[in-house]
Amino acid sequence: MKKLVITIDGPAGAGKTTVSKALADRLQYKYIDTGALYRGVAFEAKAKGISPDDEHQLEALCNNLELRFVRNKKGVRLYSGESDISDYIRTPEMSMMASAVSARPVVRKALLGLQRKMGAEKAAVFEGRDMGTVVFPGADVKFFLTADLIIRASRRHKELEEKKLPQNLEAVEKDMARRDNNDSSREVAPLKPADDAILIDSTECSVESVIEQMMKHINEKIAATL
Ligand code: DC
């Protein structure tokens, strides 16, 4: 059976991670969270005192950075060199900093090659902001998943509480709006649906229903390639 590349783009908190993981499980595909890579760059920049505006230092950082995903008992973990940094990249501070470094062309260029390498064997579900537009313009099935801001903010608020990183709902909503604005208005690879993306709004849909809708499109594609 033909191995597909599936992309899921969309704003923060739209449910991309949950549905991408579920699709990858069902299809027995790899799941690649590209936001984690930008968070990895942000984490290392912060650790080395590099400002997200310092293009020159960011370039040097990216040239020496070794980010990779490792599957172990805890799930899929992000390693930078020999260190598992997964537990440090999900804070609200890292979200804003990832958004800031992701606007830098040198960072995008460095991660573009890495992401394409990860997709070389296909059979993968990629989630991010520019998967269908820039990284995999020839992807087999592209989705753009969105939801109203308040719904996305309440979902993220709940997630942060579960991770023992509580933040009040208003602050989450404000940060999210700012991050969406940064991500959609940057010059390089802004967040937007690919022309051939299937748009899904999860505001009034359960996760299961979103997964079912996506699986229907994927199965149609698989059937068309047989
Ligand atoms: O998906 P996330 O919230 O973990 O992503 C963190 C930030 O990384 C997001 O605000 C913008 C950036 N990002 C990006 O620019 N391109 C991607 N493909 C994925 C994430």
Side-chain angles (χ1 to χ4, degrees), residues 7-211:
T7 60
I8 306 187
D9 290 308
K16 300 189 296 296
T17 303
T18 311
V19 301
S20 303
K21 280 184 179 163
L23 293 183
D25 272 358
R26 284 210 197 178
L27 295 159
Q28 296 196 317
Y29 275 17
K30 271 190 301 192
Y31 155 65
I32 312 279
D33 169 9
T34 63
L37 299 175
Y38 289 93
R39 288 172 183 269
V41 174
F43 174 81
E44 291 294 349
K46 167 107 199 295
K48 294 180 173 58
I50 300 174
S51 150
D53 298 328
D54 191 335
E55 190 101 11
H56 195 65
Q57 286 212 56
L58 282 175
E59 184 169 26
L61 174 75
C62 287
N63 286 340
N64 291 305
L65 209 55
E66 241 185 74
L67 294 173
R68 64 202 159 94
F69 290 108
V70 175
R71 185 182 278 279
N72 63 23
K73 274 182 280 171
K74 288 179 166 177
V76 178
R77 313 287 291 176
L78 179 69
Y79 273 69
S80 173
E82 294 310 310
S83 312
D84 179 351
I85 58 170
S86 321
D87 290 338
Y88 312 110
I89 59 171
R90 302 276 160 206
T91 60
E93 185 194 9
M94 283 299 123
S95 299
M96 287 315 291
M97 182 122 173
S99 180
V101 298
S102 75
R104 299 287 151 210
V106 288
V107 175
R108 300 212 76 81
K109 193 170 157 215
L111 293 187
L112 181 67
L114 179 61
Q115 294 167 96
R116 287 197 176 146
K117 224 188 265 172
M118 290 176 171
E121 289 168 19
K122 302 196 160 207
V125 181
F126 280 85
E127 74 152 287
R129 303 291 188 286
D130 62 338
M131 295 298 102
T133 50
V134 175
V135 182
F136 298 108
D140 300 283
V141 190
K142 300 178 185 178
F143 296 105
F144 191 87
L145 181 62
T146 188
D148 288 353
L149 175 64
I150 182 64
I151 296 289
R152 292 188 285 115
S154 359
R155 288 177 190 159
R156 182 54 52 89
H157 176 248
K158 201 166 145 230
E159 250 170 56
L160 287 168
E161 270 186 347
E162 283 164 7
K163 285 189 185 140
K164 310 261 178 292
L165 293 166
Q167 223 196 1
N168 76 55
L169 180 59
E170 249 172 52
V172 176
E173 190 179 342
K174 215 169 118 206
D175 277 5
M176 205 170 244
R178 208 167 102 209
R179 198 145 71 92
D180 288 349
N181 184 47
N182 288 349
D183 296 345
S184 332
S185 64
R186 67 179 175 228
E187 274 176 31
V188 198
L191 165 67
K192 64 171 183 190
D195 291 340
D196 51 350
I198 298 154
L199 303 186
I200 298 184
D201 187 322
S202 72
T203 306
E204 289 178 8
C205 284
S206 65
V207 172
E208 291 71 31
S209 141
V210 172
I211 295 167

